[in-house]
Amino acid sequence: LRSTAFYQSPLYPYLMAAIFWITGPSAGVISYLQAVLGAMTCALLALWTARSFDPRAGWATGIFAALYPPLIFYCAPLMKETLGLFLLSLFLFSTMNSRPIQAGVSLGLAALTRTNLLLMAPLAALRFWPRLRFKGLIYFVVATVLMIAPVSLHNWKQSGD
């Protein structure tokens, strides 16, 4: 771990380090994994759209997402955008399907990729309240906090903030 607080969101570099530790330092491995995450993002967006609107809209969304040049481009370079989009798509899909623990875990991990995604938490809380009431809300909050707590505690220990 670092001897100072994290300046940026740490999930992507630590995930890369873990993959490099397992496979050796190869940017190609990361690019292939990002391509898989990009494809899964397209599938999640298609499923989310199909459930929200209709199956034809889902198919169109999946195809458009798969052919969208920025999504294709960002899969190759070693950048956190592909991971962040996948985790955000997983969060949206989990929220729509009333899976508070999965939504909390995916939002917490997404926040470790892009901190500003924590702004989605109140919207998800509103989504869980009508169906699952207090229990689903608690599961969602606890799962989210458990994902970001290690980084928050590290930063507090290293910097006092």
Side-chain angles (χ1 to χ4, degrees), residues 124-135:
L126 290 174
R127 170 76 170 119
F128 290 130
W129 184 256
R131 284 192 182 171
L132 303 175
R133 297 276 179 205
F134 192 67
K135 185 179 180 181

Side-chain angles (χ1 to χ4, degrees), residues 51-134:
R51 176 121 187 235
S52 297
F53 300 102
D54 65 51
R56 289 184 305 152
W59 277 102
T61 299
I63 291 169
F64 286 142
L67 297 176
Y68 186 55
L71 286 179
I72 296 168
F73 172 78
Y74 282 115
C75 284
L78 302 184
M79 298 171 67
K80 64 183 177 180
E81 276 67 24
T82 302
L83 178 62
L85 282 173
F86 168 73
L87 291 169
L88 180 60
S89 300
L90 182 60
F91 162 71
L92 291 172
F93 182 76
S94 304
T95 302
M96 178 192 61
N97 288 312
S98 297
R99 297 179 179 162
I101 295 172
Q102 184 179 11
V105 168
S106 58
L107 180 62
L109 292 175
L112 293 178
T113 305
R114 289 210 163 274
T115 310
N116 61 346
L117 291 178
L118 276 178
L119 295 173
M120 300 290 286
L123 298 174
L126 290 174
R127 170 76 170 119
F128 290 130
W129 184 256
R131 284 192 182 171
L132 303 175
R133 297 276 179 205
F134 192 67

Side-chain angles (χ1 to χ4, degrees), residues 8-23:
Q8 292 188 357
S9 305
L11 180 62
Y12 185 75
Y14 275 78
L15 183 62
M16 278 184 43
I19 292 169
F20 284 173
W21 183 71
I22 294 168
T23 65

Side-chain angles (χ1 to χ4, degrees), residues 6-54:
F6 294 112
Y7 176 71
Q8 292 188 357
S9 305
L11 180 62
Y12 185 75
Y14 275 78
L15 183 62
M16 278 184 43
I19 292 169
F20 284 173
W21 183 71
I22 294 168
T23 65
S26 170
V29 172
I30 301 291
S31 293
Y32 289 127
L33 290 173
Q34 288 184 172
V36 170
L37 287 178
M40 291 170 61
T41 299
C42 295
L44 286 170
L45 290 173
L47 290 170
W48 184 81
T49 305
R51 176 121 187 235
S52 297
F53 300 102
D54 65 51

